[in-house]
Amino acid sequence: MLAVANRTSLGAVGVDAAERFHADAATLSLFAVVQLAVYGGMQIPIGVFLDKYGARPIITLGMVLMAAGQLIMAISPSIGIAILARVLLGAGDAMVFPAVLRLIATWFPAQRGPLMVQLTGVIGQAGQLIALIPVAALLHATTWTITFGSIAGLGILFAILVFALIRNRPPEIDEDVTVNTDTGVVEVVTSTIDTGVGIRAAWAHPGTRLAFWSHFATPFAGTAFVLLWGMPFLTAGEGLSPAEAATLISVYVAVGMCLGPILGELSRRNPNLRSVALVLPTIGVQMLAWIAVTIYPGPAPLWLLYVLAIALATGGPASMIAFDHARTHNPAHRLSTATGLTNAGGFVAALTAVFLIGLVLDLQGAGTPDTYSLEAFRLAFLTQVPLWLLGVVFILIERKRTRIRMGLDPERVRRSQSRR
């Protein structure tokens, strides 16, 4: 929860950040792009450290790095120093979720995996509400330094609590293991990521690539919306008051929290239909909702903006299904590797979306709070459509390859072989 609050803390005060640092849209998007780039780039190395040290010290270090990043952001006098703060924040954030997934794998039976991952995501999404309402209220009631310094203080407190309370594994076992309660098989949770063999082996399996593209295509629109561009779009573009915009984003968070357990249970019950029944429909719903908002003549009515928020809310829970793919199609010794590769997919897409939105705003001469306009935002948000289409194409390709690998579909026969 605290990691998500740190990640999205700048999104609730994006306009204030632009004014504080005198930043145009491209520069403002650079904060999020750098943070997401570090997050995505750290996913694979984190697997090495998880194998060597376990989850507890990794989460603790992540909390300390996020606290340092927020403290630097609190006292930053310039954009350059602020970007350094986002680097530390992205590095700390990158350590938390993979480590929590490892705790789920080592402390809970395999059958509970999909539901536990969704519940973890649900609890984490509450961090967006913390970033959205208390952080913005504290900033407007006090100062920039006090607000981000307070978040840094929370980070130090939780670093102490994590180290004191969390344990890598149940006390009765000596290694990180997962137990399949159907078969009684006990497997060691580890990874060969540091040799490079695990990376190649994990990526070679179409199930891992299916997980990557599923995580690529589902959450990025909501991430870009909450992380940076949602509040400016709703207030400066659509003309909502800050309170109305905050309420709308709160609905986005609440709907995502409610959908998480439902999609987790559906994923568990229908493992062979996850892509066509759950992942692809959520992508379609998000794309249609954004297109409807962008082509609506004039400011969109409030009900349509709520439809958009609800549609975007499906992306977060659907992205958790990607980890079900990764866990299903990879043995225990590649768990950290496959998880890291999968997690990187969503943040590569989010990084690209955040940057493209800011770039298109600047190219239209609407890169500062004084020049933001509804028409400029509409065109900027349409840059997400190619990312969705790219993800859908590769999901369909890798789903077919995965089903062939599992023996559910017949192998394709080449035309030359067919003639013979």
Side-chain angles (χ1 to χ4, degrees):
M1 189 188 297
L2 184 60
V4 173
N6 275 280
R7 183 189 308 164
T8 55
S9 58
L10 197 62
V13 295
V15 175
D16 301 88
E19 293 173 350
R20 175 179 174 84
F21 297 108
H22 308 289
D24 58 21
T27 304
L28 190 61
S29 68
L30 188 60
F31 286 131
V33 167
V34 167
Q35 178 184 334
L36 292 172
V38 172
Y39 186 107
M42 287 286 289
Q43 288 306 300
I44 294 177
I46 289 302
V48 180
F49 296 118
L50 279 173
D51 286 340
K52 190 169 184 180
Y53 301 110
R56 179 174 69 152
I58 299 301
I59 301 177
T60 304
L61 179 59
M63 292 293 171
V64 171
L65 288 176
M66 286 190 290
Q70 295 291 32
L71 181 60
I72 293 173
M73 179 64 77
I75 61 177
S76 170
S78 65
I79 289 176
I81 301 298
I83 288 176
L84 172 63
R86 303 312 282 186
V87 169
L88 292 174
L89 192 64
D93 187 14
M95 297 181 177
V96 177
F97 190 59
V100 171
L101 291 182
R102 188 182 184 92
L103 288 175
I104 290 173
T106 53
W107 279 87
F108 296 94
Q111 290 85 339
R112 295 189 199 168
L115 183 59
M116 291 304 302
V117 170
Q118 289 287 356
L119 288 174
T120 302
V122 165
I123 295 169
Q125 292 313 304
Q128 297 183 29
L129 294 177
I130 296 173
L132 180 65
I133 299 172
V135 169
L138 183 61
L139 176 61
H140 296 144
T142 58
T143 65
W144 181 277
T145 301
I146 290 175
T147 299
F148 285 90
S150 300
I151 301 174
L154 273 179
I156 295 299
L157 170 63
F158 273 79
I160 296 170
L161 291 174
V162 164
F163 194 80
L165 300 177
I166 287 180
R167 293 296 178 266
N168 289 339
R169 64 187 73 90
E172 65 272 11
I173 60 176
D174 297 325
E175 295 181 291
D176 288 5
V177 299
T178 180
V179 181
N180 187 322
T181 52
D182 281 343
T183 63
V185 174
V186 178
E187 296 179 291
V188 175
V189 178
T190 181
S191 170
T192 55
I193 196 168
D194 52 336
T195 65
V197 174
I199 301 173
R200 292 191 295 271
W203 187 254
H205 197 295
T208 305
R209 301 196 297 270
L210 176 61
F212 176 90
W213 288 109
S214 297
H215 201 253
F216 178 96
T218 44
F220 74 83
T223 301
F225 193 76
V226 173
L227 191 65
L228 190 60
W229 292 119
M231 288 294 283
F233 167 70
L234 294 173
T235 54
E238 292 288 349
L240 301 185
S241 68
E244 289 175 321
T247 301
L248 196 144
I249 296 179
S250 298
V251 168
Y252 159 85
V253 177
V255 171
M257 293 172 68
C258 293
L259 286 176
I262 297 172
L263 289 186
E265 183 62 16
L266 291 174
S267 175
R268 184 187 70 83
R269 292 188 179 188
N270 304 281
N272 296 329
L273 297 175
R274 288 166 176 162
S275 296
V276 294
L278 301 175
V279 173
L280 293 176
T282 62
I283 297 171
V285 165
Q286 292 179 74
M287 187 161 55
L288 288 175
W290 257 126
I291 292 174
V293 169
T294 55
I295 66 175
Y296 193 89
L302 194 58
W303 67 264
L304 183 55
L305 294 176
Y306 274 101
V307 169
L308 173 65
I310 293 170
L312 293 178
T314 65
S319 72
M320 296 295 101
I321 295 171
F323 298 103
D324 297 338
H325 286 308
R327 185 172 51 253
T328 300
H329 300 295
N330 285 276
H333 68 272
R334 289 206 305 261
L335 180 62
S336 299
T337 314
T339 298
L341 289 169
T342 301
N343 205 21
F347 289 90
V348 169
L351 180 157
T352 306
V354 167
F355 176 74
L356 288 177
I357 292 168
L359 178 63
V360 172
L361 284 173
D362 269 355
L363 291 176
Q364 297 175 91
T368 62
D370 294 334
T371 58
Y372 287 156
S373 70
L374 179 57
E375 293 303 320
F377 272 117
R378 283 173 166 171
L379 186 58
F381 278 113
L382 283 176
T383 58
Q384 299 174 114
V385 174
L387 295 176
W388 276 313
L389 295 178
L390 178 67
V392 167
V393 168
F394 278 100
I395 286 171
L396 292 173
I397 291 172
E398 299 302 343
R399 178 179 185 271
K400 184 67 175 178
R401 291 173 175 169
T402 302
R403 288 180 64 84
I404 292 172
R405 180 77 169 260
M406 296 172 66
L408 298 175
D409 286 348
E411 193 164 353
R412 290 171 181 154
V413 179
R414 294 180 181 177
R415 195 171 298 174
S416 59
Q417 292 176 322
S418 178
R419 288 198 193 99
R420 287 199 295 271

